[in-house]
Amino acid sequence: MNPVKKILKKLLIKAGIIKKLPTDKPYTYSSFYPYMPLSNLSDDELLSLMRHEAHRIEKSTYNNIFKAKYSMYLEKAKRLDCIFLIFEKRNRFTTENTVLWAKKIRISFEDLYDGFISPNSSDAREYNFTYLDSFSKQISTRRSVRVWSKEQLQRTEWLEIAHTMIDSARWAPCSGNRQPWKFKILIDNEDKLLLDKLKEEHCTSAPLLIFVGMDRRVYGSLSNKDYETALFVDAGAAIMTMITGAHESGLGTCWNHFGRDLIESRKVNQEAYDRFCKKLNIEDYIEPVAILAVGLPKYIPPTPARMDIKDLLI
């Protein structure tokens, strides 16, 4: 760090303007700003922090930095122990998948490769360019659909589709393995019409809508801000995974922008979004990102021209 910045940071810490991780038992606090005591965090925040710390321990082996930064990773391991203990006291998550996964990493901490990575890894797939080429051609046929067929599926089918799409979304990559996605399924017209002042008719008339939000509380490890820009990258990865699967099955989709800049651009938008959140029990720590419209398309719209690859390369 620049010497001037280092001095300035010390002065800001001394003045209480910014905070730093406590030096006494730092593993009993969250590892990112505002460094809350673990016992003060909600279940969701603890789960995400647990996944993040376990992921960073595992990643240290792949990057060959475990031994060089052993004390740092030991602190993370101790933080995992504290989180597990809190869950025990709360009588929570005794069989939850990611808790069991994190415990395996903690148990194998001193010999992670032989204890966890090697026995749980699989053989690399054989390279075959034809699969990549085939996917590239298939994804080029995806369109944003805004006109829906009169004939649509039944409610139970849309629910199954929504859950399957969300199931695929949870396997999308995400920064730090925090898995921060939050979804809301909208099928009833009463719920969809809450977006009437916010989104166009093609959105409110779609048979299925999936609200995509992100848990803003679990971000902040790279800055003192409410969230890192990785929040939007993580959301986009999940959305594209859902869109790709839906397209493969013959469904039409339209990715609708639903961010704060849209919501706060007009008073009527803000009021509509407040009603939307209140009616659908969306907490204020959920950062809105997108509304994904899904349905059987009436037709596939014309293919828009795309830039040449050479014009995209820096």
Side-chain angles (χ1 to χ4, degrees):
M1 182 184 291
N2 182 294
V4 176
K5 288 185 177 180
K6 196 171 183 179
I7 293 171
L8 179 60
K9 185 177 181 181
K10 285 183 177 179
L11 290 173
L12 291 173
I13 291 171
K14 190 173 182 179
I17 297 173
I18 63 173
K19 297 180 181 180
K20 66 176 181 177
L21 190 64
T23 54
D24 182 37
K25 296 183 178 179
Y27 47 83
T28 62
Y29 294 82
S30 171
S31 58
F32 59 87
Y33 185 86
Y35 310 117
M36 295 286 289
L38 295 178
S39 57
N40 289 1
L41 299 181
S42 68
D43 287 347
D44 283 345
E45 290 173 292
L46 282 173
L47 282 170
S48 187
L49 178 60
M50 174 203 72
R51 291 189 291 260
H52 189 40
E53 297 293 65
H55 167 73
R56 294 185 71 181
I57 292 171
E58 180 186 357
K59 190 171 65 169
S60 70
T61 300
Y62 307 135
N63 292 323
N64 293 316
I65 56 176
F66 179 79
K67 290 183 178 179
K69 298 184 176 182
Y70 178 84
S71 59
M72 182 180 78
Y73 291 111
L74 181 59
E75 178 188 305
K76 296 183 180 302
K78 290 180 178 179
R79 185 171 289 112
L80 289 180
D81 290 337
C82 291
I83 293 173
F84 298 148
L85 184 59
I86 291 171
F87 285 153
E88 285 181 24
K89 290 179 178 178
R90 294 181 184 179
N91 195 26
R92 299 283 287 162
F93 307 120
T94 54
T95 60
E96 199 273 340
N97 290 336
T98 62
V99 173
L100 297 178
W101 164 81
K103 285 183 175 181
K104 289 179 182 178
I105 289 176
R106 177 62 182 102
I107 290 169
S108 304
F109 178 77
E110 296 294 348
D111 189 7
L112 200 57
Y113 182 80
D114 289 332
F116 177 76
I117 295 172
S118 181
N120 293 291
S121 296
S122 56
D123 294 335
R125 295 176 60 183
E126 184 178 348
Y127 166 71
N128 190 328
F129 177 75
T130 58
Y131 291 130
L132 175 60
D133 190 47
S134 176
F135 174 78
S136 179
K137 290 181 172 61
Q138 176 64 9
I139 201 64
S140 71
T141 65
R142 183 208 60 81
R143 301 276 81 81
S144 291
V145 173
R146 295 179 175 86
V147 182
W148 312 106
S149 171
K150 290 183 179 179
E151 301 296 324
Q152 293 294 336
L153 305 175
Q154 298 298 313
R155 177 188 175 85
T156 54
E157 294 175 283
W158 286 122
L159 279 173
E160 183 180 16
I161 287 168
H163 282 100
T164 303
M165 290 175 67
I166 293 169
D167 185 32
S168 67
R170 68 193 179 103
W171 294 106
C174 61
S175 60
N177 192 37
R178 286 173 280 201
Q179 302 180 37
W181 311 289
K182 297 294 181 182
F183 304 97
K184 188 74 177 183
I185 300 168
L186 288 74
I187 297 177
D188 295 335
N189 286 332
E190 180 184 357
D191 292 339
K192 290 186 286 186
L193 287 175
L194 291 167
L195 297 166
D196 186 41
K197 302 298 182 182
L198 281 166
K199 300 307 301 178
E200 297 91 339
E201 193 272 340
H202 76 265
C203 186
T204 55
S205 65
L208 168 66
L209 297 180
I210 300 176
F211 164 84
V212 182
M214 305 293 281
D215 191 335
R216 192 170 56 245
R217 299 171 300 174
V218 306
Y219 288 91
S221 61
L222 294 180
S223 69
N224 291 344
K225 297 181 180 180
D226 286 342
Y227 52 78
E228 304 147 54
T229 53
L231 178 152
F232 301 103
V233 178
D234 294 345
I239 294 166
M240 197 61 208
T241 301
M242 290 192 286
I243 285 177
T244 303
H247 173 62
E248 284 287 301
S249 70
L251 291 167
T253 62
C254 187
W255 178 340
N256 295 275
H257 171 221
F258 201 56
R260 293 280 179 188
D261 49 350
L262 167 71
I263 292 166
E264 297 176 1
S265 63
R266 300 185 303 166
K267 185 177 180 181
V268 66
N269 287 21
Q270 295 174 23
E271 292 171 346
Y273 182 67
D274 287 343
R275 288 193 297 271
F276 178 81
C277 291
K278 185 176 181 180
K279 175 68 164 51
L280 300 179
N281 299 315
I282 296 172
E283 301 285 355
D284 59 5
Y285 54 77
I286 300 299
E287 185 70 17
V289 177
I291 295 284
L292 184 56
V294 187
L296 296 179
K298 184 175 181 180
Y299 56 84
I300 304 301
T303 302
R306 292 290 190 186
M307 296 170 63
D308 290 334
I309 296 175
K310 64 180 179 62
D311 295 324
L312 300 176
L313 298 176
I314 298 174

